[in-house]
Amino acid sequence: MEVKQGIAKYVQKETLLSRLGSGNQGKDLKPSAVTFQIGDQMIRIAIGAPVVIDDGDKIIVAGKMDKKEIFHVYAYKNLTKIVEGSADWGVRFALAAIVFLPSLLFNDLLLAFMAGSLYFLFHGFNVVDAIARVRAQIWSGPPEPLNAAPTSP
């Protein structure tokens, strides 16, 4: 798990199609996926919940790099807007339990169900780890720009 921080730039927002069926027929949907850069690193947040990030925001993210050199975020904190968000770890743990329960009934498929259950547990613990790392991180990015000297009244 890596933690990155910096100023968000080139922010592109999108609404994932899975959210269109949420009862409001596509009206007033908040962006549920955001792609942006911190320095030269491409960052993608697609956590299934509204993501609040704009150009120039101070961001701390925790996640993992994929093979295409895109950093996928499990948890983020926007220090500019005082907002944080993460993937839903509770759903992952619930899926682990749901996948594990049939293994008690079908001994022949025990290994397959156990593997699925471990997969969801692993991802759930990754999200919890990312949340802890983001919350513990202290801003050490670029300093605030100096304002012009105050003018006398």
Side-chain angles (χ1 to χ4, degrees):
M1 184 75 52
E2 292 180 62
V3 176
K4 297 185 180 289
Q5 61 178 292
I7 306 295
K9 61 182 180 180
Y10 310 121
V11 175
Q12 297 175 348
K13 301 177 182 184
E14 61 184 278
T15 301
L16 297 178
L17 293 177
S18 63
R19 297 188 56 81
L20 292 177
S22 62
N24 59 8
Q25 304 306 320
K27 299 175 186 170
D28 302 324
L29 289 177
K30 304 275 190 268
S32 55
V34 175
T35 305
F36 60 98
Q37 283 185 307
I38 293 178
D40 292 334
Q41 179 64 59
M42 183 63 68
I43 310 284
R44 176 146 175 92
I45 302 175
I47 57 175
V51 179
V52 182
I53 294 178
D54 291 308
D55 279 315
D57 288 353
K58 294 179 184 178
I59 306 295
I60 299 173
V61 295
K64 293 187 177 181
M65 191 79 66
D66 72 3
K67 293 178 183 176
K68 296 179 182 177
E69 296 299 316
I70 297 174
F71 189 80
H72 290 274
V73 174
Y74 295 138
Y76 79 96
K77 185 182 338 182
N78 183 332
L79 299 173
T80 304
K81 294 185 172 60
I82 311 170
V83 174
E84 62 182 45
S86 67
D88 193 350
W89 58 270
V91 169
R92 286 170 170 79
F93 287 138
L95 286 171
I98 290 169
V99 170
F100 176 73
L101 291 177
S103 70
L104 300 175
L105 301 173
F106 304 106
N107 289 333
D108 297 340
L109 300 174
L110 178 66
L111 288 177
F113 285 115
M114 290 294 288
S117 183
L118 289 173
Y119 172 83
F120 288 118
L121 276 175
F122 175 75
H123 283 284
F125 282 118
N126 273 339
V127 172
V128 171
D129 180 37
I131 293 168
R133 289 175 186 254
V134 163
R135 289 183 177 169
Q137 189 72 27
I138 297 173
W139 177 257
S140 63
E144 293 289 326
L146 297 175
N147 293 332
T151 57
S152 57

